[in-house]
Amino acid sequence: MLEIKDLTVIFNEGTVNEKVALSHIDFTLEQGDFVTIIGSNGAGKSTLFQAISGAVNVSKGQILLNGDDLTKYPEYQRSRYIGRLFQDPLKGTAPSMTIEENLSLSSQRGKHFSLSLFSHKNKEEFRQALKQLDLGLEDRLDTKVGTLSGGQRQALTLLMATYVTPQLLLLDEHTAALDPKTAQKVLKMTSKIVHNDNITTLMITHNMEDALKYGNKTMIMKDGQIIALIDEQEKKKMSVDDLIHLYSSSTQEYNDRVLLKQ
């Protein structure tokens, strides 16, 4: 479903500032796989997402989604197939527009762009979709998104990214800026939507418990490489201590334990 072949990203190639951000990455995901990704800062997690989404150019390798080679597609074309959430709740929405207007825009994924979708029928569809968030937003369609709290906005962004089911969903620490209670609520919403719609998903997290609790696979990255990809059966048997031990023994960076437990 998603095939990453020999993916390499080098910044400032051929200069004194050359940096290998991703080095010969290879992995394949099946339809509906939900992979949590852990690794210290600079491991290449966000660069991997940028390469997949088209935000950075790859130096080598291929990105295939459902058999289509996206490697040379510009970012705006890939957005027809890929949904993405960021750590910052301010990203992913138009703050000066209403909830209804934002949902109208997101409902046009993969279609010819039009602003003629504001109708009573769509309002009712939006209300029903917003109800599943259990935040009372179904009664606030005319509210400017910029006035929402961080948790409300991130939940709305999640709904927008999946309103038209994407072929791939990228979650870049999308709950890191939220308080613990709100973060867990958004994660539960995420898990429900991903499983109900069978969306192939990659989720970066620094929380080891969440890395084991959510998804059916866990990937560990270090220095632009994948050092472990834990399958569903192995993951079910693991504790947080087991995951920390695997990470530490693979990287020899025991001082990362504090960072990874945050």
Side-chain angles (χ1 to χ4, degrees):
M1 193 283 169
L2 173 67
E3 294 180 86
I4 304 297
K5 298 182 177 181
D6 197 29
L7 190 65
T8 299
V9 173
I10 303 174
F11 295 126
N12 304 309
E13 190 170 4
T15 74
V16 294
N17 296 317
E18 179 175 301
K19 175 177 173 54
V20 180
L22 294 177
S23 179
H24 306 289
I25 295 287
D26 284 286
F27 66 89
T28 299
L29 302 184
E30 302 300 328
Q31 176 68 41
D33 274 344
F34 184 175
V35 183
T36 56
I37 304 176
I38 61 171
S40 59
N41 291 335
K45 306 181 300 297
S46 291
T47 302
L48 175 62
F49 278 17
Q50 290 177 313
I52 293 172
S53 65
V56 300
N57 294 324
V58 303
S59 305
K60 184 181 180 182
Q62 286 182 295
I63 301 162
L64 294 95
L65 189 60
N66 282 332
D68 292 329
D69 190 345
L70 304 186
T71 315
K72 301 300 182 183
Y73 283 23
E75 186 175 11
Y76 77 89
Q77 282 189 309
R78 299 190 204 190
S79 67
R80 298 173 184 173
Y81 317 105
I82 300 172
R84 189 175 182 188
L85 269 73
F86 300 87
Q87 179 176 337
D88 186 354
L90 298 178
K91 292 184 177 180
T93 58
S96 63
M97 298 177 71
T98 66
I99 292 175
E100 179 186 0
E101 289 168 339
N102 272 268
L103 284 172
S104 293
L105 292 175
S106 64
S107 71
Q108 297 182 65
R109 180 197 301 274
K111 302 176 183 177
H112 291 294
F113 185 78
S114 170
L115 287 175
S116 63
L117 293 179
F118 300 95
S119 69
H120 180 71
K121 177 183 177 181
N122 286 321
K123 276 192 174 184
E124 290 306 310
E125 289 178 354
F126 295 157
R127 286 194 180 99
Q128 292 304 312
L130 287 163
K131 278 185 179 180
Q132 67 180 309
L133 301 181
D134 193 27
L135 295 173
L137 297 180
E138 64 271 17
D139 299 320
R140 301 178 60 185
L141 285 174
D142 294 330
T143 299
K144 301 278 188 182
V145 171
T147 66
L148 301 179
S149 68
Q152 290 173 327
R153 191 161 178 172
Q154 199 66 308
L156 175 62
T157 306
L158 173 64
L159 181 60
M160 291 172 60
T162 57
Y163 191 84
V164 176
T165 305
Q167 294 182 27
L168 178 67
L169 181 62
L170 304 177
L171 306 172
D172 194 348
E173 295 189 74
H174 69 304
T175 61
L178 308 178
D179 65 84
K181 183 178 180 180
T182 304
Q184 286 305 310
K185 188 168 187 176
V186 172
L187 280 170
K188 287 180 180 178
M189 293 177 196
T190 301
S191 183
K192 181 180 179 181
I193 291 172
V194 166
H195 286 99
N196 286 351
D197 294 339
N198 197 36
I199 304 172
T200 306
T201 302
L202 293 167
M203 182 178 85
I204 296 172
T205 179
H206 274 116
N207 188 300
M208 298 290 269
E209 291 183 356
D210 290 340
L212 288 177
K213 181 178 180 180
Y214 296 98
N216 65 319
K217 296 179 181 178
T218 294
M219 180 186 296
I220 303 176
M221 294 188 67
K222 162 68 177 170
D223 288 340
Q225 296 180 315
I226 297 172
I227 59 174
L229 183 55
I230 305 164
D231 65 24
E232 186 169 14
Q233 293 305 313
E234 184 181 359
K235 182 173 177 174
K236 286 179 179 179
K237 301 173 185 177
M238 297 187 74
S239 66
V240 170
D241 285 342
D242 292 332
L243 192 56
I244 291 174
H245 176 73
L246 176 62
Y247 177 84
S248 299
S249 62
S250 298
T251 65
Q252 299 300 309
E253 288 191 13
Y254 296 94
N255 60 344
D256 276 348
R257 291 189 183 192
V258 175
L259 170 65
L260 291 168
K261 282 186 172 180
Q262 288 179 351

